[in-house]
Amino acid sequence: MNETALATARTAFQRILAEPAPADLWELQKALLVIGGEPAARARAVARAFHACLRAIESKSASRTASRWGAVLGTGAVVSVSATDILARQESALHRLLQSGVPAMLEIGAALKSAEAWEVEAGLVYDELAWFLYDELWDVSATTRPELSASERQGQIDLLLDPLLDSAVSDGDRAGLVVNVFQAVLAARMVLLFDGLTRNPTSAEA
């Protein structure tokens, strides 16, 4: 196993959970490529899509004053009531879908709770993002919660992703919500990778 790549992946992953930034996702994907194996490849696919999502939000955000997400995800912001309600449903659905350490790793809704009046322009392709995330949530949930019926799994994923397709939800709120879901999906993939490497340290490329 390449211990340097693994350490780099862990460090970048922790930064992404705390404050998602394209630069950290770029570093993560490089480390995952070195680690190799199917779990790393699946995590890398999520990192790539998450990176593209953040770049799209950055390009459409009215906030041009910062080079990092820290200014876009500023503190002390007021979130709409509707978004807060959606957030509560998201958290519940994530726990039901994953029932693992993933929800506990996240400050669920950190991106939305601290969203600094995003004013993101319309135009993000939320249907494409939802399509990708639906596949990922279904696959990860089938691995971590195999006892769920198809209808139960579908219902929980719908709770997570339907707001992304709802034009009544503001673009700023939808941007925060999609970041939350990407963080959760990436965390689920990374947990599966780290757990697999712990059980079988020789499974990654040397």
Side-chain angles (χ1 to χ4, degrees):
M1 186 194 309
N2 190 309
E3 295 291 347
T4 300
L6 184 58
T8 299
R10 290 185 185 278
T11 300
F13 174 53
Q14 291 300 323
R15 288 199 298 262
I16 291 161
L17 291 184
E19 182 184 313
D24 290 324
L25 285 159
W26 180 253
E27 290 303 312
L28 176 62
Q29 69 86 19
K30 291 193 293 183
L32 291 171
L33 195 61
V34 174
I35 292 169
E38 183 179 356
R42 298 302 297 265
R44 188 169 180 265
V46 176
R48 178 180 181 178
F50 195 1
H51 181 277
C53 172
L54 292 184
R55 284 297 191 202
I57 293 174
E58 281 185 339
S59 69
K60 295 180 181 299
S61 174
S63 174
R64 307 279 193 229
T65 60
S67 60
R68 297 200 60 203
W69 267 76
V72 181
L73 304 179
T75 57
V78 177
V79 183
S80 69
V81 173
S82 61
T84 303
D85 291 341
I86 293 168
L87 190 60
R89 294 197 294 272
Q90 270 197 331
E91 183 172 1
S92 177
L94 280 173
H95 278 279
R96 291 194 180 100
L97 275 174
L98 303 177
Q99 198 177 40
S100 69
V102 172
M105 296 172 67
L106 301 167
E107 180 186 350
I108 300 295
L112 181 59
K113 289 175 185 175
S114 60
E116 190 179 320
W118 280 9
E119 299 183 13
V120 177
E121 300 169 8
L124 284 181
V125 189
Y126 290 106
D127 55 344
E128 291 186 10
L129 295 173
W131 190 291
F132 174 84
L133 290 168
Y134 201 106
D135 285 348
E136 288 294 319
L137 285 165
W138 188 281
D139 186 75
V140 171
S141 178
T143 300
T144 59
R145 295 291 311 276
E147 74 279 7
L148 288 179
S149 68
S151 60
E152 288 173 321
R153 200 180 318 283
Q154 178 180 342
Q156 296 307 313
I157 296 175
D158 286 347
L159 283 175
L160 280 167
L161 298 184
D162 280 356
L164 300 183
L165 306 176
D166 186 353
S167 60
V169 179
S170 74
D171 283 289
D173 286 344
R174 283 196 283 178
L177 293 167
V178 77
V179 168
N180 290 337
V181 179
F182 260 114
Q183 283 180 305
V185 171
L186 181 62
R189 288 295 183 197
M190 295 300 292
V191 166
L192 290 173
L193 170 65
F194 293 147
D195 285 352
L197 292 177
T198 299
R199 291 192 299 270
N200 184 15
T202 63
S203 61
E205 293 181 355

